[in-house]
Amino acid sequence: MELQKNSTTPAGPVLGIETSCDETAAAVYDAERGLLAHAVHSQVALHARYGGVVPELASRDHLRCLLPLVDGVLADANVKGPELGAVAYTAGPGLVGALLVGATAGMGLARAWGVPAIAIHHMEAHLLAPLLEDAPPAFPFVALLVSGGHTMLVDVAAFGAYVVLGQTVDDAAGEAFDKTAKLLGLPYPGGPELARLAGQGAPARFALPRPMLKRPGLDFSFSGLKTAVMMQVRQLEQHGGPGEQDRADLAASFQAAVVDTLVAKSLRALDATGRDRLVVAGGVGANEQLRAQLRDALEARGGRVYYPRIAFCTDNAAMVALTGYLRLSAGARPSTSVQAHPRWDLAALARQE
Ligand code: KG4
Ligand code: ZN
């Protein structure tokens, strides 16, 4: 993306810090040389036995891992702290304790090194992640953000100009994958496990609802779908099931219902906005069935779908560093205090401009 330099454009590489949920991540991005280094420490093993993220354990593990990760990426990038142009940290939305670890570390390091710090919106970072790739999407585009915490369609007219077109009224798509996986007895985190099991199943075996598809509008609802799977499991239990094949068929039928809904609403959003580029980001964007159906659907209408590489679909700091660079270059003011916003509306971010 071509940007005019101004007085707030970072004068050196940007360090990104991400601690909003259960991944500790650090990265160094340079406008001229690209991504210089990135590292992610996943807490999956830590939370697995609880079947979900335990916020207090997440905060403590971020504390333990963050500074060594930062040292590691600075060494990999061959950059010293004071040579950085800025430090960008995720300020929300997310778990408040987890966010505070990254925010206080980010502010503290920036102060110590005498460089500006900038607070970053996690969902903005997700939707800009494809700009890190070799053939990035040009603005404008529609973004489908599908993660464990969010499901939303956003019209992106330009950098910083975001209009939320629709979002989930209950569970996020990733959350629905995780909860349904649990119902099917799959280990945490369930999304990728369910997708794997679905590969062995028949998607047409169980007629599950395509939530909110018949209604106009661009909102989503996934909690009824999870309940529909639960009802099927109960029925199968009455007959001694569900057996191996039943579980695979249920997984495939569930995945098909979620993917059909996400694809149909994405196309509806493209129609409503007149855009022909779709950006998909967030953990569920790693789902192969979703990727295949969207690719075919966009090809059929002469449009194109863009993804970050799989590692940057899920939480990472490369997207945070890039967003920090873009925000500062666009004239955003650096943080003067520690910012941590567990709830932070993307539309409110656009209004701040
Ligand atoms: O973006 P992300 O790493 O974290 C959040 O900010 O939430 O997304 C994680 C979510 C989880 O719910 C996970 O189950 C889901 O993405 N996920 C998948 C797949 N890989 C990750 N869901 C479906 N299919 C996948 N292949
Ligand atoms: Zn995320």
Side-chain angles (χ1 to χ4, degrees), residues 122 126 147 315 319:
H122 182 77
H126 268 307
S147 70
D315 289 349
M319 65 184 191

Side-chain angles (χ1 to χ4, degrees), residues 130-152:
L131 301 185
L132 288 161
E133 303 306 330
D134 283 342
F139 296 106
F141 53 77
V142 167
L144 171 68
L145 300 178
V146 270
S147 70
H150 300 268
T151 300
M152 54 170 84

Side-chain angles (χ1 to χ4, degrees), residues 83 225 252 267 291:
E83 295 165 3
L225 189 51
L267 298 185
R291 292 170 92 95

